[in-house]
Each structure stands twice: as C-alpha cells, then as structure tokens.
Amino acid sequence: MNEMRTVTKADQTQPSRPQPRPGVLDIAPYVPGKSKGSHGKTLHKLSSNETPLGTSATARAAIEAVAQKLELYPDGAASELRAAIGEVYGLNPDRIICGAGSDEVLSLLAYAYLGPGDEAIYSEHGFLVYDIAIRAAGATPVIAPEKELTTDVDAILSRVTERTKMVFIANPNNPTGTYLPFEEVRRLHAGLPDTVLLVLDAAYAEYVRRNDYESGIELAATSENVVMTRTFSKIYGLANLRLGWGFGPAHVIDALNRIRGPFNVSGMAIAAGIAAVRDREFVAKSVEHNEQWLPVVTEELERLGLTVTPSVGNFILIHFPDVNGKRAVDADAYLLERGCVLRLVGNYGLPNALRMSIGSEEANRTVIAHLKDFLGQN
C-alpha cells in the first residue's frame, strides 16, 4: 500500500510545468521587418533588404523540377550544392557547410564552440542573431562600441579575455551599411589568440565594390580560426527558401557537421542554390541595379536634409531630426499609412533611424516623395 506523502510549503513553490534552462527567457526574440503597411496595405516593402529583381529564372525552374519529387528526402550533405559553390568561388567543397540560411550556420558555430562561462564579442550595432546565438549556447555576449557606426578593431581587442572564445563581425554590417577595410580585418585577426574563432559574416559581400574590401575567403582558407558565412537570401533572391553557407578550416566544418540536422537544407533550396550561384548574369544585373540606385537614393534623401550613413550594401540607414513629429517613429507611421514599409532599428540601439532597402525605381522614388511631404518640403 502506497504511503501518503505530506505536501510541504516548499513543494507548493516548485514550478508546475517544464521550465527552460536559466538564461533562455532573457533572450529577446528576433523581430523581422514588417511586411504590411497600415490597414494591411503594402505598396512597397523595403524593410528586409530583399532584392527588387526577384529570383533567377533558372533557379525558379530548378524549384519546379524538385516540386515533382516532394516525397523524397534531400541529399543530407548538399553535395552538389557545395560542389557548385566551390566551382564558382574556387573553394574546396569539403570545407563548405550549408544551412537553413546563414543564421543556422552562425548558430551552429555558437553551439559547437560556446558554453556557460565563455564569452563572445560582437560590435555595438551588429546583427541581432549574434546575441541570440551566444545566449542560446549559454555563453555571455560582450558588446564592443563602434566608431562612427563602424566596427572598431581596437574596441574589440580591448575586450578579449581568457574567457573569449568567438568574435562575430558583419562585414558589411547590418543595419549600418558600413564596412571594415580588409587590412583592418587582418589586424583584428592578428590580435586575437589562436584559440578564438573569428566569424566573418559576409551576407552582403556581393554588393560591395570597394578596392579595399574582401569577403574573408582568403583568410578563412589560410587560417585555423576563421570562418566566413554567406547567404542566398539577398542578392540571389532566395530568402523564402532559407539557404546559406559557411567556409572554414576542415576541423571547424567537421565539428559543425556533427551537430547539424541530418537534412537541414531542403531539396528545393539545394536545387535553387545550384542554379542561382551559377547564374552570374542575374548577379551582375542585381549589382548594376544597386550601383545605380544606392547613390541616387542617398543623395535625394540628403537633399531633404536627412543624414544617411554611407553604405556599401543594398540598404541605407536614414537618421531623422530630433524634433517632435519628425522623428523616425513618426516617419515610419507616415510611410506605413501610405503603404511604404521601412525598418525601425531601435532594437539595434538606433532609436531615431530607419533602414531602407534599395528597391525598384518606383519604390525608391515613392519613398523619397513621401519623405519630402513628411518633412514639409512641398
């Protein structure tokens, strides 16, 4: 016969449901850019740095072919995709890993190399996924101040301790659009202990046309503690499929492959990625469009008296006057009412700025016209 157990006051204070481990509920969820304007009306969505040129026709055809075989599992190793990336960039496919967006690769790096008691550094206005990945791994994020909204190598190096295991650098950076010349990246790498993993997030690399910029391929190819990540979401127009990749030392890629899901990239994403990475004409058109409109939008907004952070990506950061009724939040509401969706970036520590993707000619001109009205310049 079972004995009756006395319920104590201590028992009554115990949780009555499963609890996440300490620290999980301290993580701020990632909030993507809005997709709809006020009243559900969207004329121009410029909140997520998506390409206005759509998707490569060959990539769409590849997706349609895979759609006839949805009952089959994809290749868990994404072998053909890694081979195609290697072919285009001149890389060893064995040192490439593919993921569900570069976000997954960034998270895998954190899970493989960080844990309780460890620290990882990222810059003041760096991509929010870094903070999430670090905390999700149980480690502590350390934020390095920026200089003129640009990653500051000395600020990062001054924060390296014996607990530092990883440094995340977005180059170019989102949401500022600024970049580090590659000599500065090399100086950062040279100043880090060999045991610290330097992660170079080059999601916007294809857009950069500066002689002193490199994505990080060479450094990742020749170092034991550097990984470069890339995405198919931006210039290739495959954001809906969630596809990214990383390149680094064989020992790092081996570690990541041990913890990634067995079929972490879908067959549609693999097929589309193979076609997209080989469609150099589509990429060239995307670069040409951005090269044409990035300076035009920047100059037109500056002509309105707004400050625009110089950008090398496919987006700009617009700073608004600290005046009642003319701040970023007011401009955002004004634009949303007119079906133009930009991105508030207060969660990046930039409460009086909006990030604007470079869109189609119509979208760009429409936003400029509305901001002119908003500022009372008509």
Side-chain angles (χ1 to χ4, degrees), residues 19 30 47 80-81 87 98 114 118 129 187 199 205 242 369 377:
Q19 298 293 308
Y30 183 84
S47 59
E80 290 186 32
L81 175 56
E87 167 194 315
C98 296
L114 299 176
D118 295 334
V129 165
R187 185 167 74 86
V199 180
R242 311 307 304 122
Q377 297 189 20

Short mmCIF file of all heavy atoms in Angstrom, two decimals, residues 19 30 47 80-81 87 98 114 118 129 187 199 205 242 369 377:
data_model
loop_
_atom_site.label_atom_id
_atom_site.label_comp_id
_atom_site.label_asym_id
_atom_site.label_seq_id
_atom_site.Cartn_x
_atom_site.Cartn_y
_atom_site.Cartn_z
N GLN A 19 10.38 23.98 -17.25
CA GLN A 19 10.98 25.30 -17.30
C GLN A 19 12.21 25.29 -18.21
O GLN A 19 13.01 24.37 -18.15
CB GLN A 19 11.40 25.75 -15.90
CG GLN A 19 10.26 25.88 -14.90
CD GLN A 19 9.32 27.01 -15.26
OE1 GLN A 19 9.75 28.14 -15.48
NE2 GLN A 19 8.03 26.71 -15.34
N TYR A 30 14.01 37.54 -31.98
CA TYR A 30 14.29 38.31 -33.19
C TYR A 30 12.98 38.76 -33.81
O TYR A 30 12.06 37.96 -34.01
CB TYR A 30 15.08 37.47 -34.19
CG TYR A 30 15.47 38.24 -35.43
CD1 TYR A 30 16.61 39.03 -35.45
CD2 TYR A 30 14.67 38.20 -36.57
CE1 TYR A 30 16.97 39.75 -36.58
CE2 TYR A 30 15.02 38.93 -37.71
CZ TYR A 30 16.16 39.70 -37.70
OH TYR A 30 16.51 40.43 -38.81
N SER A 47 11.76 46.71 -46.00
CA SER A 47 12.13 46.53 -44.60
C SER A 47 13.09 45.37 -44.35
O SER A 47 13.59 45.23 -43.24
CB SER A 47 10.87 46.31 -43.77
OG SER A 47 10.15 45.17 -44.24
N GLU A 80 26.01 18.38 -54.15
CA GLU A 80 26.04 19.09 -55.43
C GLU A 80 26.06 20.60 -55.23
O GLU A 80 26.70 21.33 -55.99
CB GLU A 80 24.84 18.68 -56.28
CG GLU A 80 24.92 17.25 -56.80
CD GLU A 80 23.78 16.93 -57.75
OE1 GLU A 80 23.33 17.84 -58.47
OE2 GLU A 80 23.34 15.78 -57.78
N LEU A 81 25.37 21.07 -54.21
CA LEU A 81 25.38 22.50 -53.92
C LEU A 81 26.76 22.94 -53.46
O LEU A 81 27.29 23.97 -53.91
CB LEU A 81 24.33 22.84 -52.87
CG LEU A 81 24.31 24.29 -52.37
CD1 LEU A 81 24.13 25.26 -53.53
CD2 LEU A 81 23.21 24.47 -51.33
N GLU A 87 32.95 25.46 -57.12
CA GLU A 87 33.28 25.73 -58.52
C GLU A 87 33.30 27.24 -58.79
O GLU A 87 34.23 27.76 -59.43
CB GLU A 87 32.26 25.02 -59.40
CG GLU A 87 32.24 25.42 -60.86
CD GLU A 87 30.98 24.94 -61.56
OE1 GLU A 87 30.58 23.76 -61.36
OE2 GLU A 87 30.38 25.74 -62.29
N CYS A 98 26.49 23.87 -45.59
CA CYS A 98 25.27 24.59 -45.98
C CYS A 98 24.26 24.54 -44.84
O CYS A 98 24.23 23.57 -44.07
CB CYS A 98 24.67 24.00 -47.25
SG CYS A 98 25.77 24.17 -48.69
N LEU A 114 30.78 27.48 -27.99
CA LEU A 114 30.48 28.29 -26.82
C LEU A 114 29.69 27.50 -25.79
O LEU A 114 28.94 26.60 -26.14
CB LEU A 114 29.68 29.54 -27.21
CG LEU A 114 30.33 30.53 -28.17
CD1 LEU A 114 29.34 31.64 -28.52
CD2 LEU A 114 31.60 31.11 -27.56
N ASP A 118 31.81 31.00 -21.09
CA ASP A 118 32.51 31.56 -22.24
C ASP A 118 31.94 32.92 -22.60
O ASP A 118 30.80 33.25 -22.26
CB ASP A 118 32.39 30.64 -23.46
CG ASP A 118 33.07 29.30 -23.26
OD1 ASP A 118 34.02 29.24 -22.46
OD2 ASP A 118 32.64 28.32 -23.90
N VAL A 129 21.14 38.41 -34.48
CA VAL A 129 21.25 36.95 -34.37
C VAL A 129 22.48 36.55 -33.57
O VAL A 129 22.49 35.51 -32.91
CB VAL A 129 21.25 36.30 -35.77
CG1 VAL A 129 21.72 34.84 -35.72
CG2 VAL A 129 19.84 36.36 -36.36
N ARG A 187 44.20 42.90 -39.20
CA ARG A 187 44.77 43.38 -37.94
C ARG A 187 44.00 42.80 -36.75
O ARG A 187 44.60 42.43 -35.74
CB ARG A 187 44.73 44.91 -37.91
CG ARG A 187 45.42 45.51 -36.68
CD ARG A 187 45.63 47.00 -36.86
NE ARG A 187 44.40 47.77 -36.72
CZ ARG A 187 43.91 48.20 -35.55
NH1 ARG A 187 44.54 47.90 -34.42
NH2 ARG A 187 42.82 48.92 -35.51
N VAL A 199 34.50 34.92 -36.74
CA VAL A 199 33.43 34.63 -37.69
C VAL A 199 33.15 35.87 -38.52
O VAL A 199 32.74 36.91 -37.98
CB VAL A 199 32.15 34.18 -36.95
CG1 VAL A 199 31.04 33.88 -37.96
CG2 VAL A 199 32.43 32.97 -36.07
N ALA A 205 28.29 40.68 -49.21
CA ALA A 205 29.58 40.82 -49.89
C ALA A 205 29.44 41.08 -51.39
O ALA A 205 30.20 41.86 -51.97
CB ALA A 205 30.43 39.57 -49.67
N ARG A 242 15.35 29.90 -47.38
CA ARG A 242 16.28 29.78 -46.27
C ARG A 242 17.51 28.95 -46.64
O ARG A 242 17.53 27.74 -46.47
CB ARG A 242 15.61 29.19 -45.01
CG ARG A 242 14.30 29.82 -44.61
CD ARG A 242 14.38 31.34 -44.46
NE ARG A 242 15.41 31.74 -43.51
CZ ARG A 242 16.42 32.56 -43.82
NH1 ARG A 242 16.54 33.05 -45.05
NH2 ARG A 242 17.32 32.89 -42.92
N ALA A 369 9.49 60.74 -52.33
CA ALA A 369 8.41 61.72 -52.45
C ALA A 369 7.62 61.83 -51.15
O ALA A 369 7.28 62.94 -50.70
CB ALA A 369 7.48 61.33 -53.60
N GLN A 377 8.35 69.74 -47.25
CA GLN A 377 9.17 70.43 -48.23
C GLN A 377 8.51 70.59 -49.58
O GLN A 377 9.16 70.87 -50.58
CB GLN A 377 10.53 69.74 -48.35
CG GLN A 377 11.32 69.76 -47.06
CD GLN A 377 12.74 69.27 -47.25
OE1 GLN A 377 13.26 69.26 -48.36
NE2 GLN A 377 13.37 68.89 -46.16
#
